[in-house]
Amino acid sequence: MLFLEIPLLAQVDGFPVSLGTGDEPLWGAPAIVKTDSASFIAIGSTDDSLYLINTNGSFVDGFPIALSGHITSKIAWEPCDSGIFIFVLSENGILTKIMWDGTTAAVEWTITLGENSRYISPVIGEDDDGNLEIFSAVDTTLFCCSSDGDVLWSADFSSSTGSAVATPSCGDIDGDGEDEIIVEGYEKIFAFNPDGSPVDSFPLELVDAAFSYSSPFLWDCDDDGAMEIFCGAHQITGGEYGVVYRIDADEPSLDLPIFTITGAYGTWLYSSPAIGDVNGDYSYDISFGSINGTVFSIDGSGALVSFGGVALHMSYGHIYGGIMLCDIDNSAGPEFIFQMSQESSELAYLIAMDPGALYPENFPDTMAESDAGILSPAVFEDDSSTKIVAATGSGDLYLWEIDNKPLAGYKFWAEMFGDRRNRNVAIPDVPELTAEISDGNFILRWSMSGSGDFLRYIIYQSGDSAGTSPAPLDTIYDIADTEYTIDADTSSDSLWYFVVVEDFLGRTSGRSVPQFICDTSAIANKTPEPEKITITVSPSPFNSTCEIVAPKAEKIVVSTIDGRTVNVIDGEGGVFHLDGKDLPSGILLLSAVDDKGRILSSRRTILIK
């Protein structure tokens, strides 16, 4: 197994913390609650309790607090003048609002909305006046409640399971400046306007497929001002493969998936998609895991940009929860961070894996797992480190610390279930950035394609294009400001400047340009994409060993046709030697990976024994 080098990873003292569980395993996931002075871990359990935990493993004053039902989903929270509001939807259809003032916690109100909201999280939005609205899918009804506990409206949908199958999402899917609410039944997807009326052309119905636990994901992938809907699902017959659908507002349909996981039976998508620039081309990709342990990234059209193979090279490993994306090795681009359960060993694993299927050193780490759940980790920054928190079905909460912070433009990419509102909306757009030298000044100019729910721009400089030594120059809070001037005479001969966009949840996106004082023609809008290469294999097919020639490749990742990574080999001068002694017979996929973990090219060969 090949490892990447990262700063020290270690479990934090005071963890794991044991949470209570009732008559079923823990099925929720941790959320990160942040105040001006500290970060806390919030998680509900099946012992009908909500826990708030310090990063030293102690319980926050006032917690745990007893509620009226098992909690099998994530909480939502919102800061207020006197502390924070926490909203919890129990699996028995009870919505609860809790007020925590930093010392004590108290239930402000509860509403019984129905009977069944298993695995469904509350979603927070705002009306035209900035007042909070809480959306909850209970049984087959979508409810909109006020922060005071009043039901503002309700709208019915249908599902043969008797309830929604995943947490709803909010976003502007028609470009009218207002957020619609998207909810999935087992066979249909529904969209409602802010007043509860159905959106034209909805619902849409699947044919020979069904939605799983994968929440709809919203992303304006074509920059037309309206968000497209991406949905994970599974075919019902013919192999039960996982599929991804894209729904466009101008021609909404579910006729054909844009991506199908083929080659392995039962690749259902329980994992909710995440978004980030996986392959380093300054455009976003969506990433997701499947039940058989594979991790994929595709672009907005459905083209495959990264294939992570089977986590840990283990059989019977399953990814049930969402994928997090965050830089943890201080190189440009994110790593996949997720949990995997191996049912045969009753163990769970925290996995970190880069897009080239390489594991950072000290990963994976094991967690005792007597019962599996649909669980997702959370990633956050605290003091001078990055922390990853994960829970097991048996009620143990783990916390790891990595001794560095993410690079400025690669912070918490697509932490869809880590934001406080559970809204599943994308991080800020990547800015379009240009630069010029004029009258002794270096002038940065940028534009944003979408309106963006973001807070500020941060201007950085660094000695390299990855931003591994970022120095903040300025912070701009007026988002209408899209120009920044630097005195070029005080700059070094070769320096990179970054414009980083940060949203209200601390998530970032960014773009960099170089400054070359002597040659302004070298200023570019984007980092060049990796050069495509040709892979040659001799002999092919082969029955014992073969030679692989892949110029400019750092590693060769060898996978079986069903997606299982079986070897990662080093070479010298672009020449690699593959020994087939311990490999399975059949078709093998050879992927050439560069020093940044990006796939340069792939080809197939056949091993015959």
Side-chain angles (χ1 to χ4, degrees), residues 439-450:
D439 297 328
N441 292 320
F442 188 77
I443 303 173
L444 298 174
R445 295 188 180 93
W446 62 92
S447 62
M448 300 290 288
S449 59

Side-chain angles (χ1 to χ4, degrees), residues 202 208 242 255 271 439-440 456 466:
F202 285 85
D208 195 34
D255 291 340
S271 166
D439 297 328
R456 59 186 176 178

